[in-house]
Amino acid sequence: MTNRARRIDVYMQKATQWRAEMEALREIVLATPVHETFKWRQPCYTYDDSNICILSSYKPGATLSFPRGALMKDPEGLLFAPGENTRAARFMRFSSVEEVAEREETLRSYLLEAIELVKSGRKVDFEATREIDRPDELIDRLDDDPEYREAFDGLTPGRQRSWCLHFGGAKKAETRASRVEKAREKVLSGKGWNER
């Protein structure tokens, strides 16, 4: 019995960059007790219906991301956060098949650790990092518009965080105020910054 998903076979055949590296990573991942599936337009590997890792490629190389990577030990220092505001996921990047082969044993141990995290039920404590400052421009706008405030406060904590990071990412006060204003309709629709 094989754990390969036909859709991933097709995905690999169509890959235009880092295909060999992704195929090498796939073989290592499939040697562990995971289920291969397709999520977010990428190969995803699960254990007990929980995500273990996601295989993808970007310009700098093939990547394997671990949704609970922040909890992993990472003795080799191979995991990195994809962005400064990332709280849970960690990535490993590979730029050659040789690099994948050299790190096979380490990669296998990381995969098994990720599976153990799922088995143990451990999750990243988002409560510890939930609070994020609301930009003054948002506070002022919400004070002036009760409907906007109610909608914003009704968003999930993750959606609120995404908006605050988006608003606060602007250097100029005018730009922050403009972003807050432009966001109103999406917020009233219950959407986060990166949702359509």
Side-chain angles (χ1 to χ4, degrees):
M1 182 173 147
T2 181
N3 196 18
R4 292 177 176 276
R6 173 77 181 116
R7 191 164 183 188
I8 309 303
D9 291 337
V10 172
Y11 173 89
M12 290 295 184
Q13 291 167 3
K14 291 182 177 181
T16 58
Q17 61 180 1
W18 307 108
R19 181 187 314 177
E21 291 77 10
M22 287 194 302
E23 287 176 346
L25 287 167
R26 182 186 189 200
E27 293 306 317
I28 294 168
V29 175
L30 286 174
T32 66
V34 296
H35 175 75
E36 184 175 59
T37 188
F38 198 74
K39 294 182 181 180
W40 308 288
R41 297 181 286 168
Q42 311 173 87
C44 182
Y45 301 87
T46 63
Y47 183 87
D48 268 352
D49 294 325
S50 292
N51 297 330
I52 297 297
C53 62
I54 300 165
L55 180 60
S56 55
S57 68
Y58 299 97
K59 282 185 180 180
T63 62
L64 201 58
S65 62
F66 295 89
R68 292 184 171 127
L71 298 175
M72 295 172 65
K73 295 179 183 120
D74 192 22
E76 303 288 326
L78 300 174
L79 298 175
F80 67 93
E84 66 181 81
N85 296 306
T86 303
R87 298 183 290 168
R90 295 296 182 268
F91 283 68
M92 293 177 81
R93 183 176 291 133
F94 301 87
S95 57
S96 72
V97 174
E98 293 77 24
E99 185 180 11
V100 173
E102 288 170 8
R103 294 187 175 162
E104 181 174 353
E105 187 176 321
T106 301
L107 180 54
R108 195 178 313 277
S109 71
Y110 280 39
L111 288 162
L112 294 174
E113 181 182 359
I115 291 169
E116 288 303 314
L117 285 171
V118 167
K119 287 180 179 179
S120 73
R122 282 188 63 207
K123 294 182 179 181
V124 174
D125 181 8
F126 289 108
E127 293 297 323
T129 58
R130 177 173 286 179
E131 286 302 314
I132 187 163
D133 292 333
R134 290 183 176 185
D136 292 338
E137 295 77 11
L138 175 62
I139 293 169
D140 293 344
R141 184 66 176 93
L142 295 180
D143 286 345
D144 294 340
D145 187 341
E147 183 181 23
Y148 196 176
R149 172 180 292 288
E150 183 179 346
F152 192 86
D153 290 343
L155 294 174
T156 63
R159 287 184 173 115
Q160 289 180 24
R161 181 177 172 81
S162 73
W163 280 119
C164 288
L165 290 171
H166 172 64
F167 301 148
K171 293 179 182 176
K172 295 182 180 180
E174 302 83 38
T175 307
R176 290 191 295 274
S178 174
R179 287 181 179 184
V180 168
E181 192 58 42
K182 289 177 182 175
R184 187 178 188 278
E185 291 309 311
K186 278 182 79 173
V187 170
L188 292 179
S189 298
K191 295 180 179 178
W193 171 68
N194 58 349
E195 294 177 290
R196 294 181 187 201

